[in-house]
């Protein structure tokens, strides 16, 4: 069974952390992953930086720009991760845009992911229909779960279609804006969380965008299986470095 599916079966709320590969410095990637697992994180999203990150807020954009300047590429990331499964056992997901995957070759990219032990991919700009018609078989051949995003504006019909072709979790974007931290969720977002929860989808939901502290994590996971922290974590390691990650994670009692 895929590590993501195993993790989703656990009787707890899941904490996933997103960070940008190659940031703050090029060779921090593996150390960050190891420190996150030691600190009790359930899943990790490894951001593959791209020069035109449409859905990312300023914090993640800045980290991507720096990572690219540091020399991060798809090939460098794969080389960094080649022995990751010798020390890390939790689910690992690569999150990035479709252009670098296409440039590398979709099948070659998926094959490499399988070789190094990546469990899934999140590619926000890969259209659901295109994935279903052209790439689903390839992803499944290499044991990769593809995670789709939904927003408050996604139609019921589209959500049901995404649910029907998914085999892991659905990434619920908390708002229609770009990524970033916020102080809490309002009535409109809470209503959206409730509405999706009441759809009784076959795939569990994990909420991302705007999760920054225990308050927002608790609010989000009241209606979902887990939550993802990205910008707040990147802000923390920008200020404090990568050796005190456990301090950042102490307030999340999952």
């Amino acid at each position: 069974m895929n590590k993501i599916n195993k993790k989703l079966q656990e009787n707890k709320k899941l904490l996933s952390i997103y960070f940008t590969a190659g940031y703050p410095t090029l060779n921090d990637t593996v150390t960050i992953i190891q420190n996150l697992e030691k600190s009790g994180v359930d899943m990790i999203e490894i951001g593959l930086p791209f020069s035109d990150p449409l859905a990312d807020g300023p914090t993640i954009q800045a980290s991507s720009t720096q990572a690219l300047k540091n020399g991060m590429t798809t090939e460098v990331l794969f080389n960094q991760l080649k022995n990751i499964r010798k020390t890390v056992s939790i689910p690992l997901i690569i999150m990035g845009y479709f252009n670098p995957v296409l440039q590398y070759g979709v099948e070659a990219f998926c094959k490499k992911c399988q070789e190094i032990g990546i469990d899934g991919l999140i590619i926000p700009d890969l259209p659901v229909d295109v994935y279903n018609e052209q790439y689903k078989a390839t992803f499944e051949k290499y044991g990769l779960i593809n995670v789709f995003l939904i927003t408050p504006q996604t139609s019921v019909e589209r959500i049901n279609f995404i649910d029907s072709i998914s085999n892991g979790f659905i990434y619920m974007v908390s708002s229609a804006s770009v990524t970033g931290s916020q102080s809490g969720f309002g009535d409109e977002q809470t209503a959206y969380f409730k509405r999706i929860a009441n759809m009784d989808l076959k795939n569990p939901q994990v909420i991302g965008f705007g999760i920054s502290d225990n308050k927002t994590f608790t609010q989000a996971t009241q209606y979902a299986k887990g939550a993802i922290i990205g910008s707040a974590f990147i802000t923390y390691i920008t200020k404090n470095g990568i050796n005190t990650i456990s301090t950042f994670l102490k307030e999340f009692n999952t």
Side-chain angles (χ1 to χ4, degrees), residues 6 101 185:
K6 278 186 186 170
V101 179
F185 295 116

Side-chain angles (χ1 to χ4, degrees), residues 16-17 19 33 36-37 41 43-46 90-93:
S16 183
I17 295 287
F19 78 98
I33 293 170
L36 284 170
E37 181 172 51
V41 167
M43 288 192 293
I44 299 173
E45 292 169 23
I46 305 160
I90 60 174
L92 299 176
I93 299 169

Side-chain angles (χ1 to χ4, degrees), residues 65-126:
T65 300
Q66 186 59 51
L68 291 169
K69 284 180 184 172
N70 291 344
M72 179 51 68
T73 65
T74 305
E75 196 61 62
V76 168
L77 178 59
F78 283 150
N79 282 331
Q80 288 180 347
L81 297 177
K82 64 185 176 184
N83 295 314
I84 194 68
R85 284 305 178 195
K86 291 180 179 176
T87 56
V88 173
S89 61
I90 60 174
L92 299 176
I93 299 169
I94 289 179
M95 183 170 185
Y97 292 86
F98 192 49
N99 188 282
V101 179
L102 204 55
Q103 284 183 347
Y104 195 88
V106 176
E107 179 141 13
F109 191 96
C110 291
K111 185 172 186 284
K112 199 71 178 174
C113 284
Q114 183 189 53
E115 285 172 7
I116 61 180
I118 297 298
D119 305 292
L121 298 174
I122 303 173
I123 309 172
D125 62 337
L126 174 58

